[in-house]
Amino acid sequence: RLIFTDLDGTFLNHHNYSFEESFEALQKIKAAGVPLIFTTSKTKAEVEYLQEKVGISEPFIVENGAALFIPEGYQGFDLSFLEKYDDKRIMVFGKSYTKILEFYRRYKERCSMAGLSDMSDEEIVHLTGLNQRDVILAKQRDFTEPFILKDKTKLEALKKSAHTYGLKITKGGRFYHIMSEFQDKGIAVIKTIELFEDLYHERVSSIALGDSQNDTAMLEHVDIPILIQKYDGSYLETNVPHIQKSSYQGSKGWNEMVLKYV
Ligand code: 2M8
Ligand code: MG
Ligand code: MG
């Protein structure tokens, strides 16, 4: 069994990014040795730092499904068929950050975007509530650009332009994100499940937890899709069949639902 989880607003609380309330479920997962696969808009640097804090070393999916990283030697698997990346193996689904920025720079004025790459660290701290060190990690991007849309009426035109570049726009908890048209958390989750099924030589069941629009594709492709309540008490509107909803927000809701289904 595999668990895919979004981070912001799901495993981590929206406002303070704490995962304190998930302690019990986390212990249960660790004791059972269930792979906990962070599936997030965050960067490789951000995820590696969080994994250290949580005390796990598992595969993870970064920047909205742009790439899957697996620790070298994970569960004794031979991963030599995958490309090497530092102490990990990587599968890439996204486009290069250079390509993404090229589009962003061409359209930012026209479409009223303010991207992370143009913001000062202080501005990002102010917008996100991340601390200085986390901002440095969030800026180390490889595949996607988060941005604020100053004029919301530009969204449709922006989406059309992105399409002509083979790119698309999605929305996370605070930012919109520019990324490859052919990536999403769903595709990355499908590929990860396929990989585990090849390695284990058997069918693998899956759970996913998320709270935002960019999680829909991943929720659609697992056996047990779980929606976490948002910080304002609302839920994402979604048509995913059989979706289970938490009764609490963020890490408390995450704890509740993992204890229920693992
Ligand atoms: C961005 O991602 C979140 C995910 O929902 C968002 O769109 O609000 C990314 O820049 C990520 O790297 C960063 O850690 C996060 C901080 O709020 O914002
Ligand atoms: Mg989220
Ligand atoms: Mg996210």
Side-chain angles (χ1 to χ4, degrees):
R1 170 163 281 189
L2 305 176
I3 305 178
F4 296 92
T5 185
D6 171 47
L7 294 176
D8 292 348
T10 301
F11 179 71
L12 303 174
N13 292 332
H14 178 79
H15 292 291
N16 61 7
Y17 301 95
S18 137
F19 58 90
E20 264 166 35
E21 289 152 307
S22 66
F23 184 78
E24 214 186 327
L26 204 50
Q27 294 310 26
K28 193 171 173 186
I29 290 175
K30 283 185 188 174
V34 182
L36 177 59
I37 303 173
F38 290 162
T39 307
T40 177
S41 321
K42 291 185 188 291
T43 62
K44 174 176 183 281
E46 288 181 285
V47 174
E48 286 176 338
Y49 182 68
L50 179 67
Q51 280 203 340
E52 232 178 274
K53 283 205 280 186
V54 174
I56 60 171
S57 178
E58 297 290 339
F60 57 88
I61 293 163
V62 300
E63 297 191 53
N64 269 307
L68 164 70
F69 288 93
I70 309 174
E72 188 73 272
Y74 181 74
Q75 293 191 12
F77 294 144
D78 175 11
L79 300 169
S80 55
F81 63 98
L82 295 174
E83 202 183 314
K84 215 170 148 53
Y85 191 114
D86 302 335
D87 56 342
K88 303 206 162 56
R89 296 282 167 168
I90 184 175
M91 226 186 233
V92 177
F93 312 109
K95 289 198 161 88
S96 74
Y97 195 44
T98 315
K99 276 248 163 61
I100 304 295
L101 283 187
E102 203 180 288
F103 172 81
Y104 165 69
R105 290 190 179 130
R106 188 158 296 170
Y107 283 88
K108 64 178 177 183
E109 267 94 32
R110 249 180 282 184
C111 293
S112 85
M113 295 183 276
L116 214 68
S117 59
D118 278 335
M119 293 179 193
S120 68
D121 291 1
E122 292 66 37
E123 249 176 296
I124 302 171
V125 166
H126 177 73
L127 274 173
T128 61
L130 293 176
N131 62 38
Q132 283 281 352
R133 188 200 38 234
D134 291 339
V135 166
I136 293 166
L137 302 177
K139 278 186 141 181
Q140 293 173 29
R141 313 203 71 88
D142 295 310
F143 309 101
T144 63
E145 177 71 347
F147 66 93
I148 297 290
L149 199 59
K150 287 174 279 184
D151 176 357
K152 294 276 184 294
T153 65
K154 303 274 201 254
L155 184 60
E156 282 320 302
L158 172 60
K159 282 184 171 171
K160 281 204 183 104
S161 311
H163 178 61
T164 64
Y165 279 71
L167 304 176
K168 70 178 172 191
I169 310 295
T170 188
K171 197 170 175 345
R174 291 182 175 84
F175 296 104
Y176 289 95
H177 300 253
I178 307 172
M179 66 187 79
S180 163
E181 192 161 33
F182 306 110
Q183 79 173 69
D184 62 37
K185 290 186 180 186
I187 292 166
V189 160
I190 291 171
K191 294 290 177 195
T192 307
I193 295 173
E194 277 176 14
L195 179 69
F196 270 87
E197 290 186 334
D198 282 351
L199 295 168
Y200 287 152
H201 306 292
E202 62 182 28
R203 187 180 183 279
V204 168
S205 67
S206 52
I207 298 179
L209 304 103
D211 73 316
S212 294
Q213 187 202 314
N214 58 345
D215 298 315
T216 310
M218 123 174 124
L219 295 170
E220 276 169 351
H221 291 106
V222 294
D223 300 310
I224 306 180
I226 298 172
L227 193 62
I228 300 294
Q229 191 184 79
K230 285 178 180 284
Y231 61 93
D232 59 5
S234 71
Y235 294 90
L236 173 75
E237 274 184 47
T238 160
N239 304 320
V240 177
H242 317 296
I243 194 138
Q244 309 298 317
K245 294 183 182 175
S246 72
S247 2
Y248 306 104
Q249 314 168 5
S251 73
K252 190 172 179 190
W254 192 90
N255 188 62
E256 172 201 1
M257 298 311 272
V258 169
L259 288 177
K260 208 161 170 176
Y261 290 102
V262 177

